[in-house]
Amino acid sequence: MARNLMSDEEWAFFERFILAVRAPNGRKPTNHRLVLDGIFWIARTGAPWRDLPEEFGKWSSVYRQFRRWTLAGLWEDIMETLNQSGAVPD
């Protein structure tokens, strides 16, 4: 079982951003929630990508999705929304 998985409420917040940047390409959809949990695991631990536990999927696939989302501006959109909501301190 994966460690520190996000709650349904947290996923509901992030899912709308992920769906907004998803490009239809005919490929089977990835479990974006698990990928995001893997990215957050890396962020929390500071571990190298190659040390990502297998329970999150292949590290290279998780990293590749992280890069796609980075290039699409996903993280900036999330941070801007969080800052505007006042839900978290600056």
Side-chain angles (χ1 to χ4, degrees):
M1 184 66 185
R3 298 163 277 229
N4 298 315
L5 294 178
M6 73 183 78
S7 69
D8 290 340
E9 183 181 1
E10 290 166 329
W11 171 241
F13 172 80
F14 290 111
E15 184 179 29
R16 61 189 164 130
F17 294 97
I18 290 168
L19 294 177
V21 299
R22 211 176 84 182
N25 57 8
R27 296 178 64 190
K28 181 182 173 203
T30 304
N31 181 342
H32 294 299
R33 185 174 182 167
L34 188 60
V35 170
L36 193 58
D37 274 324
I39 292 167
F40 289 164
W41 185 89
I42 291 290
R44 275 193 311 273
T45 64
W49 284 101
R50 289 180 188 266
D51 290 347
L52 182 70
E54 290 181 16
E55 63 203 65
F56 295 110
K58 288 176 53 177
W59 75 266
S60 57
S61 298
V62 175
Y63 174 75
R64 198 168 24 257
Q65 188 60 59
F66 168 76
R67 287 291 299 148
R68 282 189 200 113
W69 287 340
T70 298
L71 294 173
L74 176 83
W75 311 116
E76 289 86 356
D77 292 346
I78 289 171
M79 292 304 294
E80 183 177 324
T81 300
L82 286 171
N83 285 334
Q84 289 176 357
S85 73
V88 293
D90 288 341

